[in-house]
């Protein structure tokens, strides 16, 4: 019987032990992964820091469920070429289509439209949680991953966009990234539109417009020549796959490339260059005016060109952005374990999107926001040695020397826990050697042993596993004896907590 | 065109503004809900406390993805009458069935089976996260809710079960629930089986066995007479619906009721009574021996009958338990907002399940665990006034008196944030009255105002919204004037942070 010709759950019921069916294979669907303890701890520490900054900026947390009506989520995934793909969908009892959220912005739009009357305006909310993409998984590409967003909804003011750039910068610094080791870049959809208008491109051809956006968005990866090909006839990649281009003429391509390269270190200079490039285009001049206003606000709040730059090549691939767009990246040289320099890409990104709520209410609700790329940022922090949160040491393990005396051992465990020390009783059924191995595997700082002799003397043995591990390297006999005595020592039962504290203090970070 | 005869996503693409289709309705599927900021904060504070206790016990965090293969999850939902329902399922590209996890135990079993060789044994892990049930939602019944589990896998020792009861008790006390205001109850599937064996029930009739389990599990809600009916021919509820019973004879029913009522305050007494009830049944005697061992361990660790009792009526409805089962409930009188006493039910529950990994590997892997009912526990803590975490006050709002001076105002905001004070610039486009309303709605402790006059004098106005709200109640003219002066005062620009601190200190909890 094939697994696939039955309703869900049917094969599950069959595979219960009672049914004596063939064994089920324990496996995860591709693109999904389990997260082990160290990664959970470092992620939580990072998220805690980010939350702290977002809260300081006055954003409030909001949670929305994982499941939404498919039509309420809308369809704003980057890959517009496959409009029916990218989301996990299923039908409800009443046959309406439901989907797992693919980002946190679409549910926010639904939430705002649904609760518009009662909300503070503007609404400032942050949300952190998993999102799901039903896409082909690959290295570093997962079908479930975490997003961390902050959005200001109902604010047309350019000050809201400037603030998002400050938020990105302050967040990265709070995470331990030094000024100069990151940069926040501002681009503008309106300035781009002005350049395209001046180059004689029709604003009505949305498909061509999107192709141009995507081409510019790939500047980092493909370089200027690659972008030129994508703006023209198209480009064949290393694997031989051909991507059709925007089919612009040479003059148009030159104009766009000139625009993209107009970025300078200094914001004043870049603005002056952009002003010239869009002169005469209303939308382009509006864009320059907006970015100039952002520049002024940033300067007043002491966010200079060493933190936030204007970079026209930043356009972002998402169709729904309507004004300024921004992204932050780490500029510190990041090397992987083999010493290779890594291009990490943007770790925070966002922009203004004024049309997302309109499709529900018909009302124009301006909004702007940023999204932190949680996994990518964590990866960068790890490589930069800026991760925290994994200092939790393993529990003190009380070994079971004598199986009839579990209650005595349990009492010791409880005493340690009562003193605020992480501790546990060995709960397996193996002998002393395996118990020591278990304690090692758990990263225990020390183990507690009480055999018959110790019991008689009213003592417990404390064995320091960190010191113990170093013993084999000591060649000098006297030194060895001394260290051995330090690594394993007896204390009266009443001094159990004090003895363990002594070991913990030795190995404090 | 109906919404339902298309593939998912198709209607979503149509509903983009460009398509000029009718507006999408902003709504959530039934049984799903958004979580506002105060509830997120209190939940996080509660989860943080629970994590602290679980870590102290030596459990390590683990995360698994929301999506699993349907057959790997198996089917261990309480409602076995509808084996194909209860989970959200959908097919992958290769047509294999996927499901959203319905609990955290089934994914744990998959994880253990998949990674068995490399894991410490026993494995002690905790996990917190949402689970999904595709069930009919009702009051307090949601289709997405949070679970918080701790399990010890690979430990046959009864000490692992005793520890789960200690964990439950220590967790509730850490959350501020006083000793005596909660109780942990221990039951045993083996003792129940012994009683059923002595009453002449066939062990082979799994359906009848489950009906008996479910009947006993309803003692809390239905009382002894209700359980009697469910053990006999059946029971008609208030709405007239008839539930078929286990069809036992009177003698069998009497034996079960005697067993269920064998609970006493003192563990020694209850054990003695149970010993008599199962005398001669091997499985029953094994159960009593196990619970006696738990009793000894609990006593040694100072968990007396004032915290943990033995209650045979605790059987738990889940089929997969194989030994001791436990649940914790709040015994303090809990009243809702209208003064009605509320029966909350169990807030922590669990038990031993030795068969869950076997269906993957064929290997017998003993396991035991507890699950915290996050929403129910939070609800109880709220009613008991034990919730923390919602002390975060709203941000200081810098008002926009003069739209041309955004940069100055932004600078003030940044100064406050730099001093560790939650602050934001008003980012909407409304006038002063609406800005004040916004600040109220956000729970701002104070607002900052700088008009032209203040600017000339190099001052800012600080308006204390908490004091301000109390002004209208003051009748005495002098008192009013005094308080008014306190509620709104000017400071030199350089003293902005000090002035705001003064207000914050006034209202510190």
């Amino acid at each position: 019987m094939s697994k696939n010709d039955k309703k869900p759950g049917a094969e599950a019921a069959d595979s219960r032990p009672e049914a004596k069916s063939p064994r089920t294979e324990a496996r995860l669907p591709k693109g999904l992964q389990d997260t082990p303890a160290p990664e959970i701890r470092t992620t939580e520490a990072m998220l805690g820091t980010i939350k702290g900054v977002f809260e300081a900026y006055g954003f409030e947390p909001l949670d929305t469920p994982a499941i939404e009506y498919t039509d309420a989520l809308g369809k704003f995934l980057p890959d517009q070429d496959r409009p029916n793909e990218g989301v996990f969908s299923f039908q409800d009892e009443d046959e309406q289509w439901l989907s797992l959220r693919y980002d946190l912005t679409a549910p926010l739009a639904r939430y705002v439209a649904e609760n518009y009357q009662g909300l503070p305006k503007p609404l400032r909310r942050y949300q952190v949680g998993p999102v799901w993409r039903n896409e082909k998984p690959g290295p570093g590409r997962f079908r479930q991953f975490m997003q961390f967003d902050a959005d200001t909804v109902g604010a047309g003011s350019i000050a809201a966009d400037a603030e998002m750039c400050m938020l990105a910068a302050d967040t990265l610094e709070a995470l331990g990234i030094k000024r100069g080791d990151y940069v926040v870049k501002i681009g503008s959809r309106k300035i781009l539109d002005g350049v395209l208008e001046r180059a004689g491109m029709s604003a009505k051809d949305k498909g061509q417009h999107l192709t141009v956006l995507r081409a510019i968005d790939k500047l980092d990866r493909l370089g200027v020549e690659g972008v030129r090909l994508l703006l023209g006839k198209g480009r064949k990649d290393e694997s031989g796959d051909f991507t059709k281009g925007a089919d612009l003429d040479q003059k148009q391509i030159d104009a766009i490339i000139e625009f993209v390269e107009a970025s300078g270190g200094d914001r004043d200079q870049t603005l002056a260059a952009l002003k010239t490039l869009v002169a005469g285009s209303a939308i382009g001049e509006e864009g320059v005016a907006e970015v100039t206003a952002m520049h002024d606000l940033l300067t007043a709040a002491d966010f200079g060109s060493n933190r936030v730059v204007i970079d026209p090549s930043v356009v972002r691939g998402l169709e729904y952005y309507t004004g300024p767009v921004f992204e932050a990246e780490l500029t510190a040289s990041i090397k992987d374990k083999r010493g290779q320099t890594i291009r990490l890409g943007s770790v925070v990104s966002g922009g203004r999107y004024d049309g997302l709520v309109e499709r529900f209410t018909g009302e124009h609700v301006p909004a702007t926001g940023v999204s932190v790329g949680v996994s990518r940022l964590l990866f960068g922090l790890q490589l930069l040695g800026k991760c925290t949160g994994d200092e939790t040491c393993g529990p003190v393990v009380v070994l079971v020397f004598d199986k009839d005396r579990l209650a005595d051992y349990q009492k010791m465990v409880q005493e340690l826990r009562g003193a605020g020390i992480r501790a546990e009783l060995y709960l397996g059924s193996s002998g002393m050697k395996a118990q020591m191995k278990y304690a090692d595997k758990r990263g225990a700082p020390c183990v507690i042993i009480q055999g018959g002799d110790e019991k008689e003397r009213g003592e417990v043995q404390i064995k320091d596993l960190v010191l113990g591990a170093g013993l084999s390297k000591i060649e000098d006999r006297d030194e060895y004896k001394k260290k051995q005595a330090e690594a394993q020592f007896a204390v009266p039962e009443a001094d159990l907590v004090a003895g363990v504290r002594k070991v913990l203090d030795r190995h404090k970070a």
Side-chain angles (χ1 to χ4, degrees), chain A:
Chain A
M1 184 159 59
S2 149
K3 264 178 185 164
N4 303 327
D5 52 12
K6 290 184 293 176
K7 290 202 93 179
E11 66 278 318
D14 289 347
S15 67
R16 268 180 286 152
E18 299 94 309
K20 295 203 171 61
S21 65
R23 282 175 202 155
T24 309
E25 193 194 343
R27 75 241 184 262
L28 269 180
K30 57 183 179 174
L32 295 170
Q33 58 176 354
D34 298 314
T35 314
E39 196 178 324
I40 293 173
R41 291 206 172 99
T42 50
T43 303
E44 282 190 353
M46 184 181 88
L47 297 180
T49 302
I50 300 174
K51 270 183 204 173
V53 179
F54 285 26
E55 289 267 350
Y57 269 68
F59 291 94
E60 296 282 335
L62 171 72
D63 260 358
T64 63
I67 301 169
E68 299 260 357
Y69 279 120
T70 305
D71 68 342
L73 278 186
K75 199 67 184 96
F76 296 96
L77 278 177
D79 197 346
Q80 293 285 354
D81 309 336
R82 302 180 301 166
N84 291 337
E85 292 181 29
V87 293
F88 288 101
S89 300
F90 37 95
Q91 274 176 300
D92 206 352
E93 280 182 344
D94 58 4
E95 297 197 322
Q96 293 201 67
W97 280 99
L98 307 175
S99 294
L100 292 183
R101 66 184 180 209
Y102 55 80
D103 73 2
L104 301 175
T105 311
L108 173 65
R110 187 269 310 153
Y111 173 82
V112 170
E114 193 177 352
N115 302 283
Y116 197 68
Q117 286 311 318
L119 295 177
K121 290 170 195 76
L123 173 75
R124 294 160 68 71
R125 86 86 179 80
Y126 70 87
Q127 182 168 2
V128 52
V131 301
W132 293 265
R133 302 266 172 97
N134 192 3
E135 290 167 352
K136 210 177 165 155
R141 261 173 89 94
F142 294 97
R143 298 205 286 176
Q144 171 178 330
F145 56 95
M146 185 92 86
Q147 287 197 336
F148 199 137
D149 285 18
D151 293 84
T152 300
V153 181
S157 168
I158 208 71
D161 301 285
E163 191 198 39
M164 289 295 164
C165 298
M166 299 178 199
L167 178 68
D170 278 343
T171 299
L172 295 176
E173 291 191 20
L175 290 168
I177 300 168
K178 285 200 302 271
R179 209 164 291 186
D181 284 353
Y182 70 89
V183 65
V184 181
K185 300 170 169 180
I186 302 176
S188 163
R189 285 287 175 84
K190 288 182 183 170
I191 300 181
L192 172 65
D193 287 351
V195 170
L196 298 182
E197 190 179 280
R198 292 234 320 178
M201 252 187 72
S202 162
K204 279 183 193 155
D205 190 340
K206 299 245 172 209
Q208 190 184 44
H209 188 260
L210 200 55
T211 309
V212 170
L213 269 187
R214 299 263 164 80
I216 299 175
D217 199 38
K218 291 187 180 121
L219 181 65
D220 266 9
R221 255 177 300 151
L222 305 183
V224 171
E225 283 319 305
V227 174
R228 273 188 185 278
L229 292 173
L230 286 175
L231 291 172
K233 294 295 173 199
R235 178 180 174 273
K236 196 183 273 186
D237 68 16
E238 296 72 30
S239 71
D241 283 352
F242 185 77
T243 308
K244 210 183 158 313
D247 213 12
L248 301 183
D249 64 32
Q250 199 53 46
K251 217 174 139 186
Q252 291 172 319
I253 296 175
D254 286 345
I256 294 172
I257 295 295
E258 188 185 5
F259 159 74
V260 164
E261 292 186 323
S263 170
D266 185 82
R267 292 201 297 249
D268 284 305
Q269 282 171 22
T270 311
L271 279 170
L274 289 173
K275 211 167 175 176
T276 315
L277 285 177
V278 298
S281 155
I283 186 83
E285 286 175 357
E286 194 183 315
V288 170
E290 283 178 357
V291 177
T292 305
M294 287 175 73
H295 162 60
D296 291 341
L297 288 164
L298 287 162
T299 305
D302 202 27
F303 287 79
S305 296
N306 59 339
R307 294 206 260 174
V308 185
V309 302
I310 296 164
D311 183 342
S313 72
V314 172
V315 293
R316 306 299 308 159
L318 279 169
E319 199 178 356
Y320 64 62
Y321 289 125
T322 55
V325 285
F326 11 89
E327 56 186 46
E329 58 179 47
L330 307 183
T331 54
S333 170
I334 298 179
K335 289 188 164 58
D336 66 12
K337 283 165 194 164
R338 286 170 300 176
Q340 303 271 13
T341 299
I342 286 180
R343 271 207 62 82
L344 203 61
S346 63
V347 291
V348 187
S349 61
R352 173 161 289 278
Y353 56 99
D354 287 350
L356 219 52
V357 179
E358 203 166 356
R359 64 195 193 85
F360 291 108
T361 61
E363 206 160 346
H364 177 80
V365 179
T368 184
V370 285
S371 185
V372 178
V374 173
S375 308
R376 196 182 279 182
L377 182 54
L378 185 71
F379 184 61
L381 290 174
Q382 279 167 339
L383 293 175
L384 288 171
K386 299 283 184 198
C387 263
T388 58
D390 196 25
E391 304 83 10
T392 311
C393 82
V396 174
V397 179
V398 176
L399 303 190
V400 178
F401 190 90
D402 179 351
K403 279 183 187 165
D404 294 334
R405 292 190 42 238
L406 275 184
D408 293 343
Y409 301 139
Q410 179 69 63
K411 198 178 162 183
M412 295 177 197
V413 170
Q414 218 56 22
E415 203 181 321
L416 290 168
R417 287 174 185 161
I421 296 167
R422 228 181 150 207
E424 63 174 55
L425 179 63
Y426 173 73
L427 288 169
S429 52
S430 302
M432 290 304 281
K433 207 174 158 185
Q435 295 191 33
M436 284 300 299
K437 265 195 185 163
Y438 170 80
D440 269 333
K441 207 159 193 172
R442 290 298 312 277
C446 60
V447 295
I448 311 298
I449 307 167
Q450 192 186 51
D453 296 349
E454 287 90 10
K455 175 69 186 162
E456 254 174 50
R457 289 195 299 269
E459 287 181 347
V460 291
Q461 289 277 340
I462 300 177
K463 193 167 176 179
D464 182 330
L465 298 190
V466 186
L467 280 191
L471 280 181
S472 62
K473 286 175 211 137
I474 301 173
E475 287 177 9
D476 182 80
R477 196 182 145 81
D478 291 340
E479 173 73 8
Y480 183 91
K481 281 205 149 182
K482 192 183 144 222
K483 285 284 173 198
Q484 195 186 27
E486 277 180 42
Q488 179 158 358
F489 57 95
V491 295
E493 278 178 346
D495 295 346
L496 171 66
V497 168
V500 168
R501 282 248 164 81
K502 194 167 127 185
V503 172
L504 294 179
D505 287 345
R506 278 177 191 164
H507 308 301
K508 226 172 225 166

